[in-house]
Amino acid sequence: MNKKTISFYTIFAASALACRPVAVPRASVEQEPCGFGMTANSLCSAEGNVVVRAIDDRRILIAIDRQENQQPDGFVDDVFLYTATNADPLDGAGGQFKGHLEYSPGVLRVVNQEGPKVLLFVVPNVAASRDLKAGPGSRVFDHAIGLSHYAGWSGLRVARLNSLRSSAQCDGPAGACVEVDGIRIQFPA
């Protein structure tokens, strides 16, 4: 490993311990190329029940219950956390719907298969963001502080996302952490 890789793992481990999310990678990088450690040129996708929820006017949570064996199981499989630099309200584009996600480091494209809505979340200056285009009528969020992805969640029901509330304990700035059922989730700050 080079110094840059070791530094990345050190920062990741420190941030994971600070917030203690329940996100645990499902498999190693070798077994799951779209999980933790995906490369800058990776383009991954998922189908299933999608939840897009504004936490406040700067933070948006996107979760998916992946369609496995033709039927989602009601549990969150992947979570994406987006934080904007300035207020950028979701304006009614959220909710729960059957959808398709495409993602690579620094970019997430959310397609509502039940309607014409397409949301694109982009971290500026990320080369991979050129791979996914918004298209006409899409809503683009491109003034980001960060976009985080957690895979391999265990035990968090999609329905419980409606009960998310601000967390009293947070190692980040005010409003950066939410919780439900004792699970604390920290947004990029």
Side-chain angles (χ1 to χ4, degrees):
M1 275 193 231
N2 62 34
K3 287 182 179 181
K4 189 175 182 179
T5 304
I6 292 170
S7 176
F8 170 77
Y9 287 123
T10 303
I11 291 168
F12 176 80
S15 64
L17 288 173
C19 188
R20 298 185 202 285
V22 296
V24 177
R26 242 181 261 173
S28 70
V29 175
E30 295 80 22
Q31 295 169 333
E32 187 176 334
C34 288
F36 173 71
M38 61 190 291
T39 62
N41 60 357
S42 297
L43 179 60
C44 303
S45 65
E47 305 278 334
N49 290 333
V50 176
V51 174
V52 178
R53 179 152 184 248
I55 302 302
D56 57 29
D57 62 357
R58 292 184 49 231
R59 294 174 182 88
I60 299 172
L61 178 140
I62 303 95
I64 186 166
D65 175 7
R66 288 178 180 258
Q67 186 170 330
E68 297 176 21
N69 300 325
Q70 303 301 320
Q71 187 70 13
D73 63 6
F75 290 95
V76 172
D77 292 306
D78 292 86
V79 173
F80 297 85
L81 306 170
Y82 175 85
T83 304
T85 53
N86 303 317
D88 197 358
L90 192 55
D91 293 333
Q96 185 169 346
F97 50 87
K98 182 173 175 52
H100 173 81
L101 302 181
E102 295 171 339
Y103 56 97
S104 64
V107 64
L108 169 66
R109 184 170 180 254
V110 180
V111 179
N112 183 338
Q113 293 177 337
E114 298 172 349
K117 297 272 187 195
V118 174
L119 304 172
L120 186 66
F121 300 91
V122 180
V123 176
N125 302 320
V126 175
S129 67
R130 291 185 289 257
D131 296 339
L132 295 172
K133 304 297 181 205
S138 299
R139 176 74 161 87
V140 178
F141 296 86
D142 59 357
H143 298 288
I145 290 174
L147 175 66
S148 300
H149 173 215
Y150 295 97
W153 285 62
S154 146
L156 180 59
R157 289 202 162 275
V158 171
R160 294 299 296 151
L161 293 176
N162 292 329
S163 301
L164 281 171
R165 65 183 187 288
S166 221
S167 178
Q169 296 179 334
C170 188
D171 295 328
C177 293
V178 292
E179 65 181 67
V180 62
D181 298 338
I183 300 169
R184 191 171 355 135
I185 304 166
Q186 184 171 344
F187 280 79

